[in-house]
Amino acid sequence: MSEDLEVLALVCTGLYAGYMLAFQSGVMPSLREVDDASFTLVMRTVNRRVPGPVFLLLFLGSLAFPAASFFVVPEARDGSETALVGAAAGCALVGHLITAGGNVPLNNALENSRHRGDERAARGAFEGRWNTLHGVRTLFAVAAFVLMAVALAQ
């Protein structure tokens, strides 16, 4: 069972890291080139659609599976492998805290600015801070994946 959890942890952390990287390297740089009204329209739409079942499975699984794997320690696992799995779970947790404490409140503020009519101000209050936080949580997501991969390879 513990090896199954590690494989699920690897898959979820990898897919989640890939999702974060796609936003970091493709979506947000592309949106940088559009006007304020287009930017805010797209980001509001994305923020309403992203928390669907597939994303939530990856988001929750990228934390739950490494954490569960850490606590279900197989007899064959040595201390360094356990430390790697624990570090992966820790990285996932930090990334989730950034999401909950930073990106989600910014998403909500952008949505709440919808009827104020000043898309330039809405974008200005959102884009830089959101991108910074997203970059940091992306690093933690990639780190969680790499740590799980190294742990499984041992």
Side-chain angles (χ1 to χ4, degrees):
M1 174 166 157
S2 60
E3 188 172 307
D4 293 340
L5 285 173
E6 288 179 354
V7 170
L8 286 170
L10 180 68
V11 169
C12 282
T13 58
L15 290 172
Y16 183 69
Y19 184 89
M20 294 288 106
L21 279 169
F23 247 83
Q24 182 73 24
S25 64
V27 174
M28 296 314 289
S30 297
L31 286 177
R32 195 176 307 132
E33 299 178 18
V34 302
D35 63 86
D36 298 333
S38 297
F39 176 90
T40 56
L41 173 66
V42 169
M43 286 308 298
R44 286 179 184 124
T45 303
V46 166
N47 291 336
R48 284 191 299 271
R49 292 205 178 256
V50 162
V54 173
F55 176 79
L56 288 175
L57 176 67
L58 295 178
F59 180 75
L60 297 173
S62 69
L63 175 59
F65 290 127
S69 179
F70 176 76
F71 289 108
V72 178
V73 181
E75 292 176 17
R77 184 190 288 169
D78 67 18
S80 65
E81 186 181 349
T82 300
L84 289 166
V85 171
C91 285
L93 176 61
V94 171
H96 283 58
L97 292 173
I98 292 168
T99 298
N103 293 91
V104 170
L106 288 170
N107 294 346
N108 293 339
L110 183 65
E111 183 63 32
N112 292 335
S113 72
R114 179 181 214 167
H115 301 293
R116 293 191 193 125
D118 189 353
E119 299 305 310
R120 171 177 249 161
R123 181 179 188 169
F126 177 86
E127 186 176 20
R129 291 175 29 197
W130 193 93
N131 283 335
T132 298
L133 291 168
H134 182 72
V136 174
R137 71 181 176 169
T138 298
L139 288 173
F140 279 102
V142 170
F145 170 65
V146 170
L147 289 163
M148 282 306 308
V150 172
L152 233 79
Q154 291 189 351

